[in-house]
Amino acid sequence: MRFICPLIVVNDIEASRNFYENVLNQKVQCDFGENVSFEGGFAIHLKSHFSDLININKNDIVQKSNNSEMYFEEDDLDSFLQKLKGIDSIEYVHELKEQPWGQRVIRFYDPDMHIVEVGEPMESVVKRFLNKGLSIEETIKRTLMPEEFVRQCL
């Protein structure tokens, strides 16, 4: 057995597809109308069809449950943050914050109230700390990354 991908349920397939393509720069792998898969390894499925597939009332599919998130990494996080500022419809879970291990992240909702997290890659975090003058040992302690990983980022 092998895992294929997570699938999230959406109310409006076109609005969600537009969000993931234009806000998060995801590329469509396959479009089956009520189901769209992205090259990033996830899929969206139209709520009305999904509820029929699993034999439940579509009202039993809960929005904004805050129990999972879609996680993305962005090499140029600062540019992405500027892009988000230009989108009035974005509802934030929280603004940019730094995690205890130094990674900067932002969380917001997609059109169907699924949490989306966008963070900087840990390689970028390590490089940022090293460029600030932290030693290899200090960077390891701060980021919780293995020494080999930190050295590869030099």
Side-chain angles (χ1 to χ4, degrees):
M1 181 182 302
R2 65 186 172 108
F3 178 75
I4 301 300
C5 76
L7 179 142
I8 58 174
V9 178
V10 300
N11 286 311
D12 182 330
I13 201 85
E14 288 305 316
S16 292
R17 178 182 171 160
N18 180 58
F19 175 83
Y20 283 100
E21 281 185 297
N22 297 317
V23 176
L24 296 171
N25 298 323
Q26 299 301 294
K27 304 275 188 261
V28 171
Q29 184 176 39
C30 295
D31 183 345
F32 301 106
E34 73 224 23
N35 182 296
V36 177
S37 61
F38 293 89
E39 291 177 2
F42 70 98
I44 57 177
H45 198 103
L46 188 60
K47 180 179 183 176
S48 60
H49 291 149
F50 187 75
S51 62
D52 291 342
L53 287 175
I54 62 173
N55 296 321
I56 67 167
N57 185 304
K58 66 181 177 182
N59 296 326
D60 290 334
I61 298 174
V62 180
Q63 284 191 308
K64 204 172 184 177
S65 62
N66 294 319
N67 66 358
S68 62
E69 69 178 20
M70 302 286 288
Y71 174 71
F72 297 86
E73 289 185 344
E74 173 57 52
D75 290 327
D76 189 355
L77 188 59
D78 293 322
S79 291
F80 178 73
L81 295 171
Q82 288 302 313
K83 178 180 180 178
L84 280 183
K85 285 182 182 180
I87 304 172
D88 293 334
S89 61
I90 297 290
E91 181 181 336
Y92 293 92
V93 176
H94 64 74
E95 296 286 333
L96 182 69
K97 72 179 196 178
E98 189 171 300
Q99 305 286 29
W101 53 91
Q103 182 186 37
R104 298 179 309 143
V105 301
I106 189 165
R107 289 183 178 91
F108 50 93
Y109 293 103
D110 78 356
D112 293 281
M113 307 312 287
H114 300 104
I115 297 173
V116 174
E117 176 184 351
V118 179
E120 60 186 337
M122 285 309 294
E123 182 177 325
S124 297
V125 176
V126 167
K127 287 179 180 178
R128 180 165 42 88
F129 287 149
L130 292 171
N131 289 338
K132 281 182 162 179
L134 269 67
S135 69
I136 290 174
E137 293 74 22
E138 291 168 323
T139 301
I140 291 167
K141 185 175 181 181
R142 179 72 169 87
T143 63
L144 308 174
M145 291 287 103
E147 181 176 348
E148 181 180 325
F149 180 83
V150 172
R151 290 190 183 280
Q152 288 175 353
C153 293
L154 287 172

